Amino acid sequence: MINVALQIAEEKIFCSGHHACPGCNEALAFRYIMNTLGKDTIAVVPPSCGAIISGPQPLSSMRIPVYQTTLEASAASAAGIKRALKAQGKDHVQVVAIAGDGGTYDIGFQALSSAAERNEDIIYICMDNEGYMNTGAQKSSSTPYLAYTTSTPGGKPTAKKNVAEIMAAHRIPYMATATTGYLDDLANKVRKAKEIKGMRFIVILVPCLDGWGVADNEGAKVSRLAVQTGFFPLYEVENGTKYTLNHGSEGIPVAAYINRQKRFRHLAPEQVESIQQRVDADWEIFKTKFNS
Amino acid sequence: MPEVTKVPPVWTTGWTDILNTGTWRSATPGHQNRLSPCQTACPVGAEIAVWVKQAKEGQYQEAWLTLAANNPFPAVTGRVCHHPCEGSCNRGEYDAAVTINALEQFIADLALQEGWSLPAPADKRDMRVAVIGGGPAGLSCAYQLRMAGAEVTVFEAQPELGGVLRYGIPAYRLSKEIVAGEIKRLLAAGIKVQTNVKVDAQKLAELQKEYSAVCIAIGAPKAKLPPPFSGNEPGVLNGLQFLLDVNRAQVPELGQHVLVIGGGSVAMDVARTARRLGKEVQVMSLEDRQSMPAQEEEVLEAFEEGIVLLDGAMVQEKVKENNRFKLTCVKVTLDATAPAGVFKPIVQPGTEFNLVADTVIVAAGQDPELADFSASLPVNNNLLTVDANQNTGQAGIFACGDVASNERFVSMAIGAGKRAARRIEAFCLGRQPGDGAAAETEPVAYKEINTFYFPMTPRKEKEVLNPELRQQDFREVKLAFAASDAQTQAERCFSCGHCIQCDNCFYYCPDMAIIKDAMSEPSYSILDQYCKGCGLCVEECPRGVIVLKEVKR
C-alpha cells in the first residue's frame, strides 16, 4: 500500500485544469514534486511538455513563480536565480529546474554539467519520457535501444544514455532516480533533496502514453514494470559514492515491459532477446555498486 | 538610477483551475461496492469481504454480526463447511486463497466465549410459521423468519434440536458444546420448540390449518442399502444410526474388523468414529479416489489415522461364518454415461478379492423419509419437489435442506433455509418473491485486482492434532487460530469490490479530480469539471471498486 499520506503535505501548489493529456504521468509527477517542495519555491522550465503543463500564459497550473527559459539554459537560469535570491537574503527559497530529457540529456547538458561541477545550490529534475514527445516523438539520447520514434522509424540503433551515472560522476551531493509507479518513493526523494544543500539531481521516468503507445490507464503500471524488469532501477547516490538501491529488478522478463508499448511492437523475438541480454548485463554491472 | 518598481505578487492573471478539462472526457469513473467471488460462491450468501474487512480492523463483534446476519451457526460452519468460498478466492490465483473458514471459526468462537447475543428481532408481524425439523435447514429458516418478526415454532422428532449437527457429525469434527452454544443463543431470539414430535400426514394437515405457512426440513435420515445388504440384518449397521448412537454414548457392539461402505463424508465420519473406538477399519467405495464425494482433507486425515481405503470396488457376495462376514469383492469402474446420482458399476473380471469383517456399516448415501408426505406432496427421485421459491406447489407448504436437495452440505442446508425464509415471508405478507435476486452482477475478477499492492504472504492452515492423539478420543482434530494468526490471515484479503479507503484513487489522479470525504458513502467523489476519464484510478484501485462508464452526450 502506498503511504504518500505520511510523506507529503497536500499544499495544492499544483492545480487542476492543466493541459496534460488524460492519464499523463508527468502531470502526476508534477503534483508530488510541487506539493512536496511547497510555496517557497521558484521553478525554471524550458520548452517541454512541462512548459505546457505549468503554463500556458496568462494562466498557470502552479501557484508559485515559474520562469520559462530557453532549452539550453535551465541549469544556468536556475543557478542565477538562486544566487540572486541569496544576495537578497532569501536563501530559504528553493529553485527547481524541471526539464525534459531533450533539455537535459541533449540540449541543456552543457549548462547542467557546469552547474553540477560548480555545485550550484539548485534542484534539477529531469522528466524523462525518452524522447522529444512534445514535438511529435522524435528520438533523444535518452530513447532506449530499438525503440521506435518518428526519427528512428526502424528502432533506435544505440543505447539510452545513462544520465544518472553521469550526474553521479560529478560527485554532486544528491542524485536519485524515481518513477510514477512508486509515488511514495518519488515524494520521499523530493523531500530528501529539499533538505540537502548544493546541486541535487533527480531523473524521473515518466511514461509518455502517446509517444510510447501505452493505454491511458496504464502509465503507472508500465513505469513499475520498467523497475521490476531491471530496465530502470530506482536508487540514490550521495556525493558520487554512497549508493542506495530502493527498488530493483525482480527478475520479470523485459518482454512484460515492452509488450505493453507500441514503440516496441515492430521487434522480432530475437531483438527482444537482445534487449533482455543488455538489461541483464547492465544489471550485473550495476549490482556491484551496492555494498550490501 | 531608475526607481525599483514593486514586483507584482502574482505573476500570472490566473490559475488553470478555471478551465473545464472534464469536457475532454469520454468515460467517467465511479466508485461502487461490487460482489466478491467468495460471496457469490458462498452457499449462505455471506458478505465475506465485509466481515473479513471488519476483522482486519479488529472489529470482531461487528464482523460476527455480519456473519450472523446470513448464518446463525458460524461456529459450526467455521468447522465443517466445505468452503467453496476459498476455492473461488481471487487470491488463490496469486499466492494462496484466504483462510476464510478458519477466520470464521475464530470470530464465531470468540462470540460464544464473549457471550455476544443476536440483535433483537424486528417488530412482530402477522406471520405464524411451523418449521418441521430442527436441523441446520429448519433452524436457519426459523431464525431468519424470527428476525423478520414472525412467530415461529420448530417441531423436532428427536429429544434435542440440531439434527445432523448434534446426531450426525462426530464430535472430533464438531464439538457438541459449540452446537449447544449456538442453538441456545438462537432460541434466545424467541423461537418456540416442540421436541419429540414426529409430524405425520395428519399432523401436517393440522399445522397447515393452524399456521400461515409450513416449512418441511426433515433431512434425509434413511440409509440407502446397496446389494447384497438388506435392512435388519445382524452385523450390518446403518451409518447414520451408528453415528447417532455414538453421539448419544450408546456404542453398539462392533467386533474388531469393521468395513464401511461408501465414499462420502458420512462414510468418512463413520470410519473415523469406529477407528476412535479402537477398531481396524476399511472403507470401500464404488468411486475411485479422485471422484469420491468426501472432502479431500477428510480422506487424508482418515489415512493418517490408519484407515485403509479400497476405492473402485464393491461387495459381490457375502457369507456369514462364525458370526463374521466372509465377503467376495471385486474392482469396478463406474459407467460415466449413467445419469447423475445413478451408479452403474462395471465389474473388472479377474480382480476378485476376499475380505473378512465382523461388522459392515453402510454409509452409501441417504434418502429422506417421505412415506408420510408422498400422498399429499410431489415427490421425485426420493426428494420433495420444490420450485425456485422452495415451494412444494401447495400454497403455504415449503421445503428446504436435504429433504429437497441432493447437495448434502451443512452450509447448503443453512443457505436453503434462509432462502425458504425469504419466500415464506413474501408469501405471508402477500409480496412477490425474488426481488433481491435480480440485482446480482458478475463478481470482481482476478484481472481487476492490482496485485502490486499485495506483497505475497503465506497462507496458514488450521493446525491439526497429531494422528496418535486423535485416535485416543473424540477431541477436535482441527485447532482454532490464535488471535495473531487471525489478524495476519485477515490482512491477506484483497477485499475484492469493497472500498477500504486506501486513498490510492485520490493519490493517483494526475488532475486532482477525486475528492475524499470519509464521512460520505462512497468515500470519494469525482470532480466533473476536471476528470479527463483516463482510468488511472480504475487501474490503480487495488480491489476493483472503481468502474469506468462511457459518457453519453
Side-chain angles (χ1 to χ4, degrees), chain A residues 154-221:
Chain A
K156 187 191 173 210
T158 54
K160 175 184 169 101
K161 187 193 277 182
N162 191 336
V163 83
E165 287 304 296
I166 295 169
M167 293 312 294
H170 284 76
R171 309 240 164 174
I172 54 175
Y174 188 66
M175 194 301 296
T177 67
T179 191
T180 45
Y182 298 81
L183 281 181
D184 42 1
D185 177 77
L186 191 162
N188 204 25
K189 283 169 175 166
V190 175
R191 197 190 53 185
K192 193 164 171 183
K194 187 181 171 183
E195 285 158 9
I196 293 172
K197 292 295 264 183
M199 182 74 184
R200 292 142 284 167
F201 178 85
I202 304 176
V203 52
I204 303 178
L205 185 73
V206 285
C208 175
L209 308 174
D210 201 43
W212 294 16
V214 168
D216 280 4
N217 59 344
E218 286 199 349
K221 178 180 188 162

Side-chain angles (χ1 to χ4, degrees), chain B residues 11-12 51 68 72 97 124 160 167 180 212 222 273 356 384 464 516:
Chain B
W11 292 36
T12 65
W51 67 256
K124 191 174 181 313
E160 285 188 90
Y167 297 117
S212 24
K222 196 171 74 175
T273 296
V356 173
L384 276 185
V464 181
K516 56 176 171 178

Side-chain angles (χ1 to χ4, degrees), chain B residues 251-270:
Chain B
V251 180
E253 183 54 48
L254 294 175
Q256 191 52 31
H257 292 270
V258 176
L259 176 69
V260 180
I261 300 207
S265 280
V266 176
M268 291 302 139
D269 285 349
V270 167

